Amino acid sequence: MRQSLEATAPSPPHPAPHRGSPPPPADDWALFLDVDGCLLPFAERPDAVSVPAALLARLIALRASLGGALALVSGRSLATLDHLFAPEQFTAAGLHGVERRRADGLAHGAPSPAALATIRDKALVVARRYPGVVVEDKGAALGLHWRGAPQAEVALRAFAQAMLPRLPGYQLQPGDHVVELRPEHADKGSAILAFLEEPPFAGRRPVFAGDDLTDETGFAAVNARGGISVLVGDRAASAARFALADPAQVHRWLGVPVPLPPPPPEISR
């Protein structure tokens, strides 16, 4: 247990100007990928994103070339990930590591406390005062999104802080235009370390790409194992040692085919 805790301790920040582009994918990698802000650009509503067919096909091909050692590591639930990437079902960690599905299909998660349903209903009342706010029911976690209503940030943060004492064993998880109430017993770093103890990930070089503060434990975990940590975006203070600007660059890095532009319209003669 001590080794796992040490592996996810924060690494010294690497200033953005010192981060170069990561090397291209190699067959000996164990590849871990965040979803929102990394594989997919953000949208005003969490349910407004979609997975391009070319990205899905490339992830399937990468999984095959890596002997199955590819996993999604996301703040979304496993059920939502399965919906997004349907009909495929990837090895994955959901709810920032609270849920985890191994490569053999065995999955485990956390029960949803009864108080969370009441808190969700109260959050919906607050949200009605700020058109554009989204209350995301994740089962064992609750996300409060203000990307579509920036003026609601202070109220939503205050609401989440006020509700936290009603959820023993929970923590506040800040993110990009969101704060979540989620169980505190797991994070993305601990999920990655757990995968690395299991086939087909064991013995491979860990690589993790992510964009948010919630991904820092993942960066620390792969750094501790001699792996490759990739920040998506331009945040200055991060343990990541490589960087890519945005999801479009992530796609190029992974080898997702660029769609051809539409042909020019025919000119009538």
Side-chain angles (χ1 to χ4, degrees):
M1 178 63 70
R2 181 176 295 276
Q3 290 180 345
S4 296
L5 292 175
E6 290 175 352
T8 55
S11 298
H14 292 259
H18 295 166
R19 298 189 195 107
S21 298
D27 289 346
D28 65 342
W29 283 7
L31 183 57
F32 303 100
L33 298 167
D34 181 32
V35 176
D36 294 283
C38 177
L39 287 178
L40 303 176
F42 286 111
E44 282 199 1
R45 298 181 57 88
D47 58 0
V49 302
S50 60
V51 178
L55 172 61
L56 181 58
R58 182 57 182 153
L59 292 176
I60 293 169
L62 276 170
R63 181 177 59 185
S65 69
L66 297 173
L70 181 151
L72 305 176
V73 182
S74 174
R76 292 185 184 256
S77 67
L78 292 181
T80 301
L81 291 175
D82 290 347
H83 176 74
L84 273 175
F85 290 87
E88 289 300 314
Q89 190 177 78
F90 287 96
T91 301
L95 302 183
H96 309 287
V98 173
E99 300 178 329
R100 199 168 67 87
R101 180 170 57 229
R102 304 186 335 182
D104 62 9
L106 183 64
H108 66 84
S112 177
L116 199 58
T118 301
I119 292 171
R120 178 202 61 213
D121 292 343
K122 291 179 179 293
L124 289 170
V125 173
V126 175
R128 283 197 285 271
R129 302 203 299 263
Y130 301 95
V133 163
V134 175
V135 177
E136 184 182 12
D137 186 346
K138 297 184 174 187
L142 188 70
L144 308 176
H145 299 260
W146 58 82
R147 185 175 299 276
Q151 72 278 13
E153 177 179 358
V154 172
L156 292 179
R157 287 187 183 276
F159 173 83
Q161 187 68 56
M163 294 298 106
L164 186 60
R166 305 188 185 191
L167 295 167
Y170 268 58
Q171 68 178 29
L172 295 185
Q173 180 67 68
D176 191 332
H177 292 82
V178 63
V179 64
E180 295 186 21
L181 291 151
R182 74 167 184 86
E184 62 185 5
H185 66 269
D187 55 41
K188 291 184 178 182
S190 63
I192 287 172
L193 291 173
F195 281 128
L196 290 172
E197 298 301 317
E198 304 163 354
F201 301 93
R204 291 174 166 268
R205 187 179 191 188
V207 179
F208 176 52
D211 72 298
D212 209 345
L213 291 174
T214 62
D215 299 311
E216 290 296 328
T217 56
F219 298 152
V222 301
N223 289 346
R225 295 294 184 91
I228 296 171
S229 49
V230 184
L231 174 67
V232 182
D234 59 0
R235 189 171 70 251
S238 174
R241 294 172 177 168
F242 297 88
L244 295 166
D246 51 33
Q249 279 203 2
V250 173
H251 289 194
R252 288 193 287 271
W253 171 54
L254 296 177
V256 178
V258 177
L260 294 175
E266 293 185 4
I267 299 175
S268 302
R269 294 180 182 271

